[in-house]
Amino acid sequence: EAEVAQSPRYKITEKSQAVAFWCDPISGHATLYWYRQILGQGPELLVQFQDESVVDDSQLPKDRFSAERLKGVDSTLKIQPAELGDSAMYLCASSLLAGGPLAKNIQYFGAGTRLSVL
Amino acid sequence: QQQVKQSPQSLIVQKGGISIINCAYENTAFDYFPWYQQFPGKGPALLIAIRPDVSEKKEGRFTISFNKSAKQFSLHIMDSQPGDSATYFCAASTAVRARQLTFGSGTQLTVLP
């Protein structure tokens, strides 16, 4: 069964350092999402891509966070500099489309990257 | 208006019992309501979903009940099993916002053997 791949699974870093997370969506999925999940809370959307274009990054703290999906396939989320409050699980999800029949909008999640900022 | 409120925060039931998790929303543009199941160390996985044109959807032991007028929906897990122990999230989306999911805060379910 196809899965969304994320790496690393765990990342420990010190405050003010730079970190990067990688996501490889299910093959053929045009839409890619990055979510942040704080312990004990539901995931919150950071950025949505359709192919290589950003659909919505209104919740992305752009002073320190950046995301790219250069070839419309895999994606990288970067934080620079990391702050203590960034400690969370970073989840990537993908779907065939964002729009049209609901069956094509089902989001499949990766296992996430657990970030700890010391 | 984008919030989805979920309760309870945690739930403990005996094996064979019924687990009920409730969610409420404000945004009437929401037209798709999925439930996700998340095990420790894993990402959320779609469990069951409903559209507001039906009041109930059942898949095996899992049932969603939907009350459009009250803007509430709930997940019922019949004959709960220890393997159902996980965190459950309700969510909602609308085509107006490119099918982005707005999640509830989650319910940690523990089913005792």
Side-chain angles (χ1 to χ4, degrees):
Chain A
E1 183 177 295
E3 293 183 342
V4 175
Q6 289 189 248
S7 66
R9 289 295 311 276
Y10 305 93
K11 180 70 178 178
I12 300 174
T13 191
E14 293 185 344
K15 188 175 66 170
S16 80
Q17 295 298 304
V19 293
F21 314 131
W22 178 79
C23 172
D24 191 13
I26 293 173
S27 178
H29 280 197
T31 307
L32 185 147
Y33 308 81
W34 282 101
Y35 289 87
R36 178 169 58 186
Q37 184 177 22
I38 295 171
L39 194 62
Q41 297 182 20
E44 293 182 326
L45 182 72
L46 290 173
V47 61
Q48 177 183 356
F49 289 92
Q50 182 73 21
D51 299 311
E52 66 276 6
S53 300
V54 173
V55 172
D56 186 352
D57 63 357
S58 59
Q59 300 303 310
L60 190 70
K62 299 182 191 63
D63 57 335
R64 298 185 299 108
F65 286 64
S66 64
E68 61 183 17
R69 194 184 183 198
L70 294 176
K71 297 182 179 179
V73 181
D74 59 338
S75 176
T76 302
L77 178 69
K78 297 179 181 177
I79 308 175
Q80 182 174 19
E83 296 181 352
L84 296 176
D86 297 331
S87 295
M89 175 79 85
Y90 290 83
L91 293 163
C92 178
S94 69
S95 66
L96 275 170
L97 289 174
L102 280 170
K104 296 188 177 183
N105 285 265
I106 295 174
Q107 293 186 30
Y108 297 87
F109 284 79
T113 296
R114 170 75 65 187
L115 173 66
S116 296
V117 182
L118 306 178
Chain B
Q1 201 180 19
Q2 283 300 109
Q3 268 190 320
V4 177
K5 295 182 179 180
Q6 183 172 348
S7 64
Q9 186 175 4
S10 63
L11 181 61
I12 301 174
V13 301
Q14 295 286 339
K15 178 182 175 182
I18 301 174
S19 304
I20 301 174
I21 304 170
N22 301 299
C23 286
Y25 64 97
E26 290 295 324
N27 187 352
T28 55
F30 285 144
D31 62 356
Y32 176 65
F33 302 88
W35 285 87
Y36 278 78
Q37 180 187 54
Q38 186 176 26
F39 292 103
K42 303 287 188 181
L46 179 65
L47 186 63
I48 186 173
I50 197 168
R51 294 207 61 177
D53 51 349
V54 297
S55 60
E56 186 175 284
K57 183 174 181 180
K58 183 176 180 179
E59 291 185 0
R61 297 184 293 107
F62 300 90
T63 300
I64 301 177
S65 296
F66 190 86
N67 186 330
K68 188 174 181 179
S69 61
K71 291 186 284 187
Q72 296 175 348
F73 58 110
S74 59
L75 176 69
H76 293 63
I77 305 174
M78 311 300 288
D79 187 25
S80 298
Q81 299 296 311
D84 297 331
S85 297
T87 300
Y88 292 81
F89 294 95
C90 61
S93 76
T94 168
V96 174
R97 288 181 58 87
R99 290 293 166 206
Q100 296 166 9
L101 289 172
T102 298
F103 283 89
S105 55
T107 296
Q108 187 168 355
L109 172 65
T110 301
V111 181
L112 301 176

